[in-house]
Amino acid sequence: MDKKRVLFICAHNSARSQMAEAFLKHMAGDRFEVESAGLEPGILNPIVVEVMKEIGIDMSGNKTKSVFDFYKQGKQYDYVITVCDESQSGACPVFPGKGKRLHWGFADPSGFKGSPEKRLAETRLVRDKIRKKIEEWLQN
């Protein structure tokens, strides 16, 4: 059975797309080949790494990747899923190709303000929303 190829993209590939990639690999890596990338790759968000580690998924070795590098390599995907929130939708990258395009908007943990505890709590909410969305998508 050929694995379906999935690309999750967002602005910086530092949080949401990384979590989505990790969840899909964890839940259905036997059925999907999964990657993530960003328009302007940043630095992996340490709070995201922490909240994923809380649930047993280690992302500490992940690197941010550029959507343009994937394009230049001629990569093709069955699904291209953007995870930018609606306020950033204009900055959310578009990946050319014939793959089915989906948009799942999530808040960007890099924009969360307040105490470390507050930012952790908000990032956990985003993590749980991403996990739920992927679980629902896998059931369809």
Side-chain angles (χ1 to χ4, degrees):
M1 176 176 128
D2 285 342
K3 290 184 177 184
K4 295 284 186 187
R5 295 181 46 81
V6 178
L7 175 63
F8 289 102
I9 53 178
C10 67
H12 303 290
N13 190 226
S14 62
R16 299 161 291 183
S17 55
Q18 290 273 349
M19 286 190 282
E21 174 187 4
F23 275 128
L24 187 54
K25 281 181 176 176
H26 183 75
M27 293 178 202
D30 59 328
R31 297 186 303 171
F32 294 93
E33 191 174 318
V34 190
E35 295 183 289
S36 67
L39 184 60
E40 299 170 353
I43 296 169
L44 192 60
N45 185 319
I47 295 173
V48 167
V49 173
E50 185 176 340
V51 301
M52 293 298 281
K53 191 174 188 176
E54 290 173 355
I55 59 167
I57 298 176
D58 182 7
M59 292 178 31
S60 61
N62 288 20
K63 303 280 186 246
T64 60
K65 299 162 292 290
S66 168
V67 72
F68 294 116
D69 289 342
F70 288 178
Y71 172 71
K72 286 188 265 183
Q73 292 168 19
K75 293 191 173 199
Q76 293 294 314
Y77 299 92
D78 297 293
Y79 297 94
V80 175
I81 304 171
T82 54
V83 292
C84 306
D85 65 6
E86 274 59 37
S87 68
Q88 290 181 316
S89 59
C92 211
V94 173
F95 193 86
K98 60 182 188 307
K100 182 172 176 125
R101 296 179 194 321
L102 303 172
H103 176 72
W104 303 341
F106 300 103
D108 185 358
S110 68
F112 295 158
K113 307 283 187 234
S115 68
E117 294 78 17
K118 183 177 186 299
R119 292 192 328 257
L120 262 172
E122 290 177 332
T123 303
R124 284 183 189 114
L125 290 174
V126 171
R127 174 200 65 197
D128 295 344
K129 287 178 182 177
I130 292 172
R131 175 175 36 200
K132 183 175 190 272
K133 184 67 178 178
I134 289 175
E135 288 170 346
E136 290 170 355
W137 185 67
L138 287 171
Q139 291 175 2
N140 292 329

